[in-house]
Amino acid sequence: MIDDLELAQRAALVGAEIGLRYFAHVRGLPQESKADGSVVTEADHTVEHEVRRVLLDARPEDAFLGEETGEHGRGRRCWILDGIDGTAVFVQGDRRWQTLIALEEDGRITVGVAVLPARGQVWWARRGAGAFVADFDGAVLGEARRLAVRDGREGLSGSGLGIVPPVESLPAARRDLIEGLASAARPREWEWAHAALLVAAGELDLAVQVGGKVWDYAPLSLIVEEAGGRFGGVGGEGHPVEGTALFSRSDDLHRAALALLL
């Protein structure tokens, strides 16, 4: 039996292959609007269904929570999945979309995987074992590279900040929420990967995500923490919850940034 991290990586690569097939013809892919106004496509449903199948075929006793397929079962172990995170950019042909997988055990995230299919990269972490990234070709992973947050000494004024979704796509009320932090730090474009991953890679100091859900945060929170950083909700939650959340390279920077979001 393969271990949980290997299973999550295998499932992520299955999802990547399917997602890329849709992405090759994304301009002609029909779109629908969900109740919250977000975009959903056949690709979202198909990727999530197949990744869920891989996970539950191997772990039939585990529970499951997916953005499109909802809850399946209950128990101390639960797989958390977003088949296509970033559907809004996916349908525009933007390569920053990803598939996110996490395993929660007894209320803690223990495994997190983020695959960027159009970039050919898999990012992952196991609690207590560090965070890594590797290129992939089909189902074959290349050499793993360890991730580490930047060892900066600057305060907020010198810190690079990624904002998710990009500011121009946020409604006015959500822009107001992050205005203080955006004014204090140095907002930067996250051009090739989710801003939280760039914190883990040492390319950004901070990332704030507005209006995210548990499946958006679960794997990314662990990857950033295992790279030496910090994750938390604006209400002080250390566990992924719905709402606005902050990823930081250090405890001091996290506290300073969080004070501007409260």
Side-chain angles (χ1 to χ4, degrees), residues 59-77:
R59 303 287 192 271
E61 301 302 317
D62 288 352
F64 182 91
L65 173 64
E67 179 177 10
E68 311 303 338
T69 53
E71 287 187 272
H72 168 86
R74 292 187 179 275
R76 56 173 293 270
R77 288 170 49 95

Side-chain angles (χ1 to χ4, degrees), residues 32-114:
E32 300 177 14
S33 293
K34 296 196 285 190
D36 62 2
S38 61
V39 178
V40 66
T41 70
E42 180 182 309
D44 295 83
H45 292 287
T46 305
V47 171
E48 185 165 312
H49 175 81
E50 287 302 311
V51 172
R52 170 177 161 162
R53 180 188 60 77
V54 173
L55 295 172
L56 295 188
D57 279 356
R59 303 287 192 271
E61 301 302 317
D62 288 352
F64 182 91
L65 173 64
E67 179 177 10
E68 311 303 338
T69 53
E71 287 187 272
H72 168 86
R74 292 187 179 275
R76 56 173 293 270
R77 288 170 49 95
C78 179
W79 294 96
I80 303 171
L81 171 65
D82 189 349
I84 294 184
D85 177 62
T87 305
V89 297
F90 175 83
V91 297
Q92 295 171 0
D94 187 312
R95 297 196 293 167
R96 288 177 291 181
W97 58 280
Q98 54 191 354
T99 293
L100 301 176
I101 302 172
L103 175 62
E104 179 185 75
E105 298 182 88
D106 299 320
R108 301 182 77 202
I109 305 300
T110 57
V111 169
V113 174

Side-chain angles (χ1 to χ4, degrees), residues 27-222:
R27 297 296 184 185
L29 189 62
Q31 303 175 28
E32 300 177 14
S33 293
K34 296 196 285 190
D36 62 2
S38 61
V39 178
V40 66
T41 70
E42 180 182 309
D44 295 83
H45 292 287
T46 305
V47 171
E48 185 165 312
H49 175 81
E50 287 302 311
V51 172
R52 170 177 161 162
R53 180 188 60 77
V54 173
L55 295 172
L56 295 188
D57 279 356
R59 303 287 192 271
E61 301 302 317
D62 288 352
F64 182 91
L65 173 64
E67 179 177 10
E68 311 303 338
T69 53
E71 287 187 272
H72 168 86
R74 292 187 179 275
R76 56 173 293 270
R77 288 170 49 95
C78 179
W79 294 96
I80 303 171
L81 171 65
D82 189 349
I84 294 184
D85 177 62
T87 305
V89 297
F90 175 83
V91 297
Q92 295 171 0
D94 187 312
R95 297 196 293 167
R96 288 177 291 181
W97 58 280
Q98 54 191 354
T99 293
L100 301 176
I101 302 172
L103 175 62
E104 179 185 75
E105 298 182 88
D106 299 320
R108 301 182 77 202
I109 305 300
T110 57
V111 169
V113 174
V115 58
L116 280 65
R119 293 286 181 184
Q121 288 188 332
V122 180
W123 303 58
W124 72 86
R126 191 203 309 265
R127 186 166 293 280
F132 300 85
V133 61
D135 299 327
F136 71 89
D137 183 5
V140 179
L141 285 179
E143 182 178 355
R145 306 182 293 277
R146 193 173 190 116
L147 296 166
V149 298
R150 194 169 74 87
D151 185 22
R153 295 288 183 269
E154 303 89 346
L156 277 176
S157 62
S159 296
L161 167 69
I163 299 170
V164 185
V167 172
E168 60 273 14
S169 67
L170 289 174
R174 288 184 170 178
R175 291 188 193 187
D176 291 344
L177 174 67
I178 62 170
E179 182 178 5
L181 179 57
S183 297
R186 295 185 295 112
R188 288 174 46 189
E189 295 291 329
W190 40 285
E191 297 180 349
W192 65 276
H194 191 286
L197 296 178
L198 298 184
V199 173
E203 296 189 22
L204 286 175
D205 301 290
L206 293 161
V208 60
Q209 182 161 350
V210 181
K213 303 292 179 65
V214 172
W215 43 76
D216 298 312
Y217 297 137
L220 300 180
S221 64
L222 185 62

